Amino acid sequence: MKKSLFNAKNLIAATMIFSSGIIQAQQWLITGNGGISSSNYAGTVNAVPFYLRTNGSAAIPGQAILNEAGSFLVDSDNNTNIAKPKGSIVVGAGNVLGADAGSSLVSGWSNNLANSGGANIVAGQTNTVTNLAGKSVALGWNNVIKNSNQFAIGVGVELGDFYSGGFGIDLVATGNRSFVFGSGAHASAKLVNNIPKSIMFGMSNVSTVLITDQQVGIRTTAPTANLHSVGTVRFQGLPNGSGRALVVDANGNVMVATSTITRQAGQNDEDLQSQIDELKNEIKELKDLLKQNKMSVDLSSNSDEPKLYQNAPNPGRGETTIKYFLPNTIKDASIGIYNISGQLVKTIALKDKGNGSVNISGIQGGSYVYSLNVDGRNIDTKKMLIQD
């Protein structure tokens, strides 16, 4: 009888100890919860973290935490992440999320969102989101987001105003809706785009290409044309053909000329130089012939046909004179001067009838042709040489 009482006392004591252990520990239902209610969960009943661990007996076990604020942390260095908001996911070590950084995704090491807004995506190391900026992306190392709706990928990218972005190394974009691509010269010499609504490209702290609304600047941040280049422009391997010539005005703007030129198939610079040399020889021969025979040109005319005479002197040094004859019945007449490429250099309207002359000056040295145009007809064309 005493033995039975002793066994009963032991059983009651063991039951009390086991029940006390159940009260102190969380209960895991290995057969599943019996129903759906507010009490059917695995977790805590007060504001303390809920830990998931593997290899729990190790000094630093594998660890994931649903913390007291309601963010999920997967530690690579246990208990080094700080997440004050609800609804964020943090992976890595030493990351800090402030109370307003809810619904953010953070991965890596030492990323600072202590003063950020919500809904950011940050991955890498020592990226910073400040000024309660939200809805932004920072991927890489040491990038700084200073406003909402920004996108940075790379190393040392700093973004200032709304809707700005950067891709590369040591970059700064501070203009509204400004983007910058490339690499600055150094962390202390970054490529900076502070021009609103533009895209900047470069591989130093000086912009190479800037694109604004319908305008592209090369080596300039203030383009004034659809394509504005400061410096040389080179074309190579262009096809042969005919078309309108291009001219450049005093401000460097390229425009289409009124004249049409043709480059023959297979024609190269040597061919053009050969033609120039031939023209020079012909002019020299004409000049020698005039000297030898002491010829004089008879400009008197009783004809009703317009005439164009050879300029004199030819070659002229800086200036020369062109003489002509126009019948009284002529309504409109002009002399056009063209360079060796066929580009119109100068047009001179002729007002006087009968024998007349025009003085030509102010054109660069070189070979030219000039034509007499009367009432829409080309009457005659002659060659002339101007020396500097």
Side-chain angles (χ1 to χ4, degrees):
M1 184 68 178
K2 288 182 179 180
K3 185 176 182 179
S4 297
L5 290 173
F6 177 77
N7 289 337
K9 290 179 179 179
N10 289 341
L11 180 61
I12 292 172
T15 301
M16 292 178 65
I17 293 172
F18 181 71
S19 299
S20 176
I22 292 176
I23 294 172
Q24 297 298 322
Q26 299 175 11
Q27 301 302 302
W28 295 83
L29 302 179
I30 61 175
T31 59
N33 294 318
I36 300 174
S37 72
S38 61
S39 63
N40 292 331
Y41 61 86
T44 65
V45 295
N46 52 6
V48 294
F50 176 60
Y51 287 82
L52 297 173
R53 285 181 174 174
T54 61
N55 196 17
S57 62
I60 304 178
Q63 177 174 291
I65 309 167
L66 181 61
N67 72 358
E68 64 274 21
S71 288
F72 192 74
L73 288 69
V74 180
D75 289 336
S76 61
D77 188 1
N78 288 351
N79 302 314
T80 61
N81 295 296
I82 299 173
K84 296 181 180 180
K86 184 177 181 180
S88 292
I89 297 176
V90 182
V91 179
N95 300 295
V96 179
L97 280 71
D100 296 309
S103 302
S104 294
L105 301 176
V106 180
S107 173
W109 304 275
S110 302
N111 297 297
N112 188 349
L113 284 75
N115 190 32
S116 81
N120 294 297
I121 299 175
V122 178
Q125 183 176 0
T126 61
N127 298 293
T128 303
V129 183
T130 65
N131 301 325
L132 296 179
K135 299 169 288 184
S136 295
V137 176
L139 306 178
W141 174 43
N142 203 29
N143 300 307
V144 179
I145 300 291
K146 297 181 179 179
N147 227 318
S148 299
N149 304 310
Q150 298 182 330
F151 192 87
I153 297 180
V155 177
V157 179
E158 299 179 22
L159 304 180
D161 209 343
F162 290 99
Y163 308 112
S164 57
F167 302 85
I169 301 172
D170 294 332
L171 309 173
V172 177
T174 59
N176 183 279
R177 288 176 172 81
S178 64
F179 293 83
V180 59
F181 300 80
S183 175
H186 191 268
S188 60
K190 296 188 175 186
L191 177 63
V192 179
N193 184 6
N194 56 13
I195 301 173
K197 299 180 181 178
S198 67
I199 302 175
M200 180 182 288
F201 300 83
M203 295 301 293
S204 70
N205 58 327
V206 179
S207 172
T208 300
V209 177
L210 181 83
I211 302 174
T212 61
D213 186 18
Q214 300 184 17
Q215 293 181 324
V216 178
I218 301 176
R219 297 182 65 188
T220 176
T221 56
T224 58
N226 297 128
L227 177 60
H228 181 171
S229 175
V230 177
T232 58
V233 177
R234 179 181 179 185
F235 298 98
Q236 186 172 354
L238 296 177
N240 298 316
S242 61
R244 302 284 290 278
L246 297 179
V247 295
V248 182
D249 68 8
N251 295 321
N253 297 305
V254 180
M255 297 172 290
V256 179
T258 57
S259 61
T260 301
I261 62 173
T262 301
R263 182 180 177 88
Q264 301 297 330
Q267 190 176 32
N268 53 37
D269 293 339
E270 293 180 357
D271 295 333
L272 293 175
Q273 186 60 49
S274 177
Q275 294 180 15
I276 294 172
D277 292 340
E278 290 179 3
L279 288 173
K280 288 182 178 179
N281 290 333
E282 290 180 7
I283 292 172
K284 185 177 183 302
E285 291 174 359
L286 289 172
K287 182 179 179 181
D288 292 340
L289 184 62
L290 287 171
K291 288 181 178 179
Q292 293 173 6
N293 296 288
K294 298 180 180 180
M295 296 176 61
S296 60
V297 179
D298 182 11
L299 297 179
S300 62
S301 177
N302 295 321
S303 171
D304 291 332
E305 293 295 326
K307 290 185 179 181
L308 180 66
Y309 299 100
Q310 186 65 48
N311 66 295
N314 189 32
R317 187 171 298 277
E319 63 178 347
T320 188
T321 300
I322 300 175
K323 296 186 178 182
Y324 61 89
F325 172 78
L326 294 177
N328 292 328
T329 57
I330 296 301
K331 296 180 180 179
D332 181 71
S334 64
I335 291 177
I337 300 174
Y338 302 83
N339 62 21
I340 193 64
S341 298
Q343 296 173 316
L344 180 64
V345 176
K346 196 170 188 178
T347 300
I348 304 170
L350 304 179
K351 303 298 183 180
D352 298 332
K353 302 299 189 295
N355 292 315
S357 64
V358 292
N359 187 55
I360 307 299
S361 62
I363 60 176
Q364 296 180 347
S367 296
Y368 297 88
V369 295
Y370 59 94
S371 300
L372 176 63
N373 190 288
V374 174
D375 292 336
R377 295 184 300 120
N378 185 9
I379 301 302
D380 195 3
T381 299
K382 296 185 180 298
K383 303 172 185 177
M384 73 175 177
L385 180 65
I386 300 296
Q387 296 179 336
D388 291 328

